[in-house]
Amino acid sequence: MSSESTLRADIVEVGRRMYARGYTASNDGNISVRLGPDRLLMTPKSVCKGFMTPDMMCITDLEGRKLQGDRDPSSEMLMHLEVYRQRPDAQAVVHAHPPTATGFAVAGIPLDRAVLAEVLTTLGSIPIAEYATPSTRELPEAVRKYIKAHDGMLLANHGALTVGTDLYGAYYKMETIEHFAKISLVARLLGRENLLSREEVMRLQELRGSYGIQAPAPICAVPGTDLESRSISDRTGAAGDATCQTVQAPKGDGSRLVADVVRRTAEGREDEEIRLTYRELSALLEDAIRSLR
């Protein structure tokens, strides 16, 4: 394990990177790392993550009692404590508000579609924890549902959370979430996403071991529809916690990529996407205007 002085410097550097990349604004976000089996090093409340110094950090125990530091620990400390309770393997926690990923969280759209092989092998899927008032005991309860199976998640109308076996590992997962969100947004704006087939997703899962990736839970691929993705009752344990990383992936029927142009109506019916040229759309509008005269 790194020395305390090294970890303090690393937190400062990660905070600087988060602020420089626009993942936080003002005093947003928080970071913590394990100092030992029963001690945490954590960012203080009410400090911009881009302008921290090593001496600002707080040391707490796993019950949230401050052991050392001139400042109070992060107001989101309860969320961090819950992660460490549920994940003994976690050595660091990063919370930020990366804009594109947070946009998906606000829209209620999980990043769980089989789009990028790199994301599938490292994170599997990125679910959305239910909305909870920040800094209250509601937030750790919302995080608890997914943290045993996921190293990264969105927080509804709030931001994103990542964990890792070291601080930089947790931070890089935050970069991956935001990068994935940007690519997914562009593809959707362009009108379609080519999804990796369910067979290819399973192939990638088998490669995790050869890549040296220790995922907290296996991938469970489901047909590529938003409707089915949001019903995970058959993929949760007795306590309602996620037991696998639910990924939307259609059957490939021999193809590794499957074009996804089917949308679902609010009632759950399939609604085929209609594509029109600008000229065709203009003609339809002119016909509609004439019919109103």
Side-chain angles (χ1 to χ4, degrees), residues 12 15-20 24 26 28 47-52:
V12 169
R16 185 193 66 78
R17 294 188 187 195
M18 287 167 52
Y19 186 70
T24 61
S26 185
D28 295 349
V47 172
C48 177
K49 303 307 167 291
F51 298 92
M52 296 187 296

Side-chain angles (χ1 to χ4, degrees), residues 46-72:
S46 303
V47 172
C48 177
K49 303 307 167 291
F51 298 92
M52 296 187 296
T53 56
D55 60 289
M56 291 181 178
M57 306 309 155
C58 306
I59 297 177
T60 74
D61 63 16
L62 290 180
E63 299 302 319
R65 291 183 289 263
K66 187 173 74 171
L67 305 177
Q68 184 181 328
D70 296 330
R71 299 169 181 264
D72 290 332

Side-chain angles (χ1 to χ4, degrees), residues 243-256:
T243 58
C244 64
Q245 299 168 350
T246 305
V247 173
Q248 293 186 55
K251 288 185 177 179
D253 296 325
S255 175
R256 295 188 181 186

